[in-house]
């Protein structure tokens, strides 16, 4: 079963704007997500952006980002009230053309997704990391803190001429 992540062009533009606050440090935000499963695919659908500001970060450096416990609780409560999952999105501002989760991301996500999966146990809890230029992406679906699967594709789907599919960490335009 392939794991696919979908978001609208409007939501992608909102996310780009939220993450473009500074390229000197990593930026982050959350997306509220629902899911759809077929025989062959598991589709995560982003529905709403929850931006973060500098007061929501415990650490915010060029190579490290950590969301404060109070912000994680606030975001989790919003997702609980709407009965949806969370996607933590962040940038690696120094990367372009290709991006992946860093050792610091692996360590932080193990702790964060232990919390998110406890707060939102029946929901799709995911993470995306974008390059600084937002032209490369890598993603994971967290079943538990240490049991995750790679997201196979991230698609910004709208009018067919605006369809952008990101696979293998690079953007491909599809008409």
């Amino acid at each position: 079963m392939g794991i696919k992540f979908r978001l609208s062009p409007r939501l992608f533009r909102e996310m780009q704007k939220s993450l473009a606050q500074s390229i000197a440090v990593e930026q982050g935000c959350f997306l509220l997500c629902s899911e759809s499963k077929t025989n062959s695919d598991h589709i995560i659908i982003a529905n709403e952006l929850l931006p973060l500001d500098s007061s929501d970060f415990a650490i915010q450096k060029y190579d490290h980002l950590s969301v404060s416990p109070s912000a994680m609780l606030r975001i989790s409560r919003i997702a609980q009230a709407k009965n949806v999952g969370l996607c933590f999105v962040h940038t690696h501002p120094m990367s372009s053309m290709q991006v992946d989760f860093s050792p610091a991301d692996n360590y932080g996500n193990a702790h964060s997704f232990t919390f998110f999966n406890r707060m939102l146990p029946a929901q799709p809890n995911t993470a995306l990391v974008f390059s600084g230029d937002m032209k490369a992406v890598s993603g994971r679906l967290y079943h538990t803190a240490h049991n995750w699967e790679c997201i196979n594709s991230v698609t910004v789907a709208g009018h067919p001429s605006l369809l952008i599919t990101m696979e293998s960490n690079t953007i491909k335009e599809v008409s």
Side-chain angles (χ1 to χ4, degrees), residues 29-42:
C29 66
F30 283 91
L31 298 169
L32 298 180
C33 301
S34 55
E35 67 186 334
S36 174
K37 293 182 181 179
T38 67
N39 289 339
S40 59
D41 291 314
H42 185 173

Side-chain angles (χ1 to χ4, degrees), residues 5-172:
F5 194 95
R6 303 279 185 262
L7 65 162
S8 70
R10 177 195 55 78
L11 194 55
F12 184 70
R13 286 189 297 275
E14 285 179 24
M15 187 178 64
Q16 282 180 304
K17 184 178 177 182
S18 177
L19 296 175
Q21 295 171 31
S22 169
I23 58 168
V25 294
E26 290 189 10
Q27 298 293 328
C29 66
F30 283 91
L31 298 169
L32 298 180
C33 301
S34 55
E35 67 186 334
S36 174
K37 293 182 181 179
T38 67
N39 289 339
S40 59
D41 291 314
H42 185 173
I43 303 168
I44 311 297
I45 304 155
N47 302 310
E48 182 180 345
L49 174 76
L50 298 177
L52 298 172
D53 62 39
S54 59
S55 67
D56 292 321
F57 300 114
I59 299 170
Q60 188 177 27
K61 298 180 180 179
Y62 74 94
D63 64 346
H64 190 95
L65 186 71
S66 176
V67 178
S68 72
S70 61
M72 287 176 49
L73 179 60
R74 184 184 80 242
I75 298 295
S76 295
R77 294 278 190 229
I78 293 169
Q80 282 178 327
K82 296 184 179 202
N83 198 29
V84 295
L86 289 174
C87 179
F88 175 58
V89 183
H90 77 284
T91 61
H92 284 179
M94 303 305 176
S95 66
S96 65
M97 304 299 289
Q98 192 170 11
V99 68
D100 205 355
F101 291 88
S102 69
D105 295 333
N106 293 335
Y107 177 81
N109 286 354
H111 294 281
S112 297
F113 285 92
T114 295
F115 175 75
F116 293 139
N117 286 330
R118 189 174 67 244
M119 296 291 288
L120 306 159
Q123 299 300 334
N125 294 308
T126 58
L128 296 175
V129 59
F130 279 92
S131 60
D133 58 8
M134 300 287 291
K135 293 186 177 181
V137 63
S138 186
R140 295 176 177 171
L141 169 65
Y142 282 87
H143 302 289
T144 68
H146 299 286
N147 178 12
W148 52 265
E149 292 180 76
C150 288
I151 293 174
N152 303 100
S153 68
V154 177
T155 302
V156 180
H159 183 275
S161 64
L162 300 176
L163 182 67
I164 301 170
T165 301
M166 297 170 215
E167 295 177 342
S168 305
N169 287 348
T170 56
I171 291 180
K172 291 192 301 186

